[in-house]
Amino acid sequence: MSRVAREVAIVAFAQTRHTAHDTGLSEPELILPVIEEVKALTGQKRFGFTCSGSCDYLAGAPFSFVSALDAVGAWPPISESHVEMDGAWALYEAWVRLQHGDVDTALVYGFGKSSQGDLRAIMTLQLDPYYLAPLGLDQLSYAALQASALGAGRAELDAIARRSRADGRRNPYALDLPEELPDGYAVEPLKASDVAPITDGAAAVVLAAGDRARELCATPAWITGIAHRIEPHYLGLRDLSRSPSAADAGRAAGVGKGPVDVAELHAQFAHEEPILRRALDLPDDTVINPSGGPLAANPVMAAGLIRLGEAARRIHDGSARRTVGHAASGPCLQHNLVTVLEA
């Protein structure tokens, strides 16, 4: 017997002013301002559920999320959970938790400091240890294989990079990247401008259900569809020029059931944008990543959550009626989460 999902909306969103270097702040110090901001936006001091997304490899310590709870205030005791993934998946867990019906609000946050280590080496640790990791290829090398499989032209990739940087310069939270694109390849066929920059940052979102959402926000961004799908880990089993998991998640979330004013895509490499546009079957008039997207600021473990938050912000400020927020995880768009938000 099918059950109608409980109404849940994003009612507040905040993010740090991201940096390309370590400013000396610890993770709790990085998170605290954005949590305080969403508390101020909603007038809430406590929430029915709290969920975070982060990566111990980035922090260089096990259970690093525990120390981050200093920014939340874990006393009196709170109902708390954590995912070793981007904060977008923490939002998914919080959405599921609100479906239970016994709590009405949830705090979600994600954070990461990529500047403290070699991100290419760190992300290689996510690979299957038996078949893929021994090959010695890293995240950027796999992305270059995917770009080659897609066969995107240099003019198209440069146009995406220039647009992302220009939008990012208008976004006070993104990095101030130069208009001129660098010469030379990072890993052929990808230039450095095709690759998301090293970024430190954090973001927080508040979810609320039903009438509680209407009380906390004048224009809630209602989650009318949310789904995530995953593909095989082994790249040899996949057609890297396509993203079936993004397409499946988009259909399950109902992307095609109406117009899409804005889509915030978690494309960490320029060639991923056309793959995702096709997978989600986005109309030509959909505005892609007006925030600048990950090519303008990419705080790992928060960048996907920021895509959902930016998509919600367009509804909060009245500039859009229906938006899509997307997050990705794993090599070559292996795992995709798609959220449809409506006014």
Side-chain angles (χ1 to χ4, degrees):
M1 180 176 175
S2 63
R3 178 180 179 272
V4 177
R6 188 185 190 196
E7 280 188 316
V8 173
I10 295 176
V11 297
F13 165 59
Q15 60 183 312
T16 54
R17 292 182 183 269
H18 310 308
T19 64
H21 60 277
D22 184 6
T23 59
L25 296 178
S26 66
E27 280 84 358
E29 291 172 323
L30 194 66
I31 302 161
L32 181 60
V34 295
I35 290 178
E36 291 300 312
E37 185 174 345
V38 294
K39 284 182 176 180
L41 287 170
T42 59
Q44 301 296 292
K45 295 183 188 282
R46 291 177 62 82
F47 303 90
F49 181 64
T50 298
C51 194
S52 62
S54 65
C55 177
D56 285 350
Y57 286 114
L58 281 179
F63 298 99
S64 60
F65 72 93
V66 176
S67 63
L69 285 171
D70 289 345
V72 179
W75 185 266
I78 62 173
S79 175
E80 185 270 340
S81 185
H82 172 263
V83 298
E84 189 74 8
M85 296 185 75
D86 189 285
W89 275 266
L91 183 144
Y92 183 87
E93 181 176 336
W95 178 84
V96 171
R97 181 65 183 84
L98 289 173
Q99 297 303 311
H100 294 189
D102 59 325
V103 295
D104 296 327
T105 59
L107 170 66
V108 178
Y109 61 93
F111 60 95
K113 296 182 66 177
S114 305
S115 67
Q116 296 185 121
D118 182 348
L119 186 62
R120 289 175 64 173
I122 290 170
M123 297 307 290
T124 301
L125 297 174
Q126 74 181 330
L127 298 173
D128 149 52
Y130 302 105
Y131 297 102
L132 296 182
L135 295 177
L137 299 177
D138 60 19
Q139 178 194 33
L140 182 51
S141 301
Y142 283 119
L145 287 175
Q146 186 177 45
S148 296
L150 177 64
R154 172 45 49 192
E156 180 182 13
L157 298 181
D158 284 348
I160 291 170
R162 286 194 178 91
R163 188 204 71 225
S164 298
R165 289 181 172 216
D167 289 339
R169 287 192 293 273
R170 290 188 287 270
N171 178 356
Y173 301 100
L175 304 183
D176 186 13
L177 299 175
E179 182 178 356
E180 184 176 348
L181 302 183
D183 293 325
Y185 293 104
V187 176
E188 195 170 358
L190 295 177
K191 290 184 174 181
S193 54
D194 300 326
V195 182
I198 296 297
T199 313
D200 291 356
V205 159
V206 174
L207 299 183
D211 290 338
R212 193 76 180 115
R214 298 178 180 91
E215 294 170 3
L216 297 178
C217 180
T219 52
W222 296 101
I223 299 174
T224 57
I226 185 168
H228 65 98
R229 299 290 188 270
I230 193 168
E231 296 171 44
H233 209 111
Y234 187 56
L235 298 183
L237 296 176
R238 297 163 55 190
D239 176 358
L240 297 182
S241 67
R242 300 167 53 245
S243 182
S245 59
D248 288 348
R251 283 190 291 269
V255 172
K257 292 182 178 179
V260 178
D261 300 324
V262 170
E264 283 282 345
L265 305 179
H266 192 188
Q268 298 180 76
F269 302 92
H271 72 272
E272 292 180 346
E273 182 178 307
I275 292 175
L276 291 168
R277 283 198 76 135
R278 284 197 289 272
L280 299 177
D281 198 20
L282 294 174
D284 291 339
D285 60 351
T286 297
V287 179
I288 305 295
N289 288 351
S291 66
L295 292 182
N298 187 47
V300 175
M301 300 297 150
L305 180 63
I306 290 170
R307 306 281 69 75
L308 276 60
E310 288 284 2
R313 187 171 66 84
R314 303 290 164 173
I315 290 175
H316 292 163
D317 66 17
S319 61
R321 297 287 300 171
R322 191 171 188 267
T323 64
V324 167
H326 162 268
S329 181
C332 300
L333 298 172
Q334 181 200 7
H335 191 180
N336 292 273
L337 182 149
V338 178
T339 303
V340 176
L341 301 166
E342 298 188 29

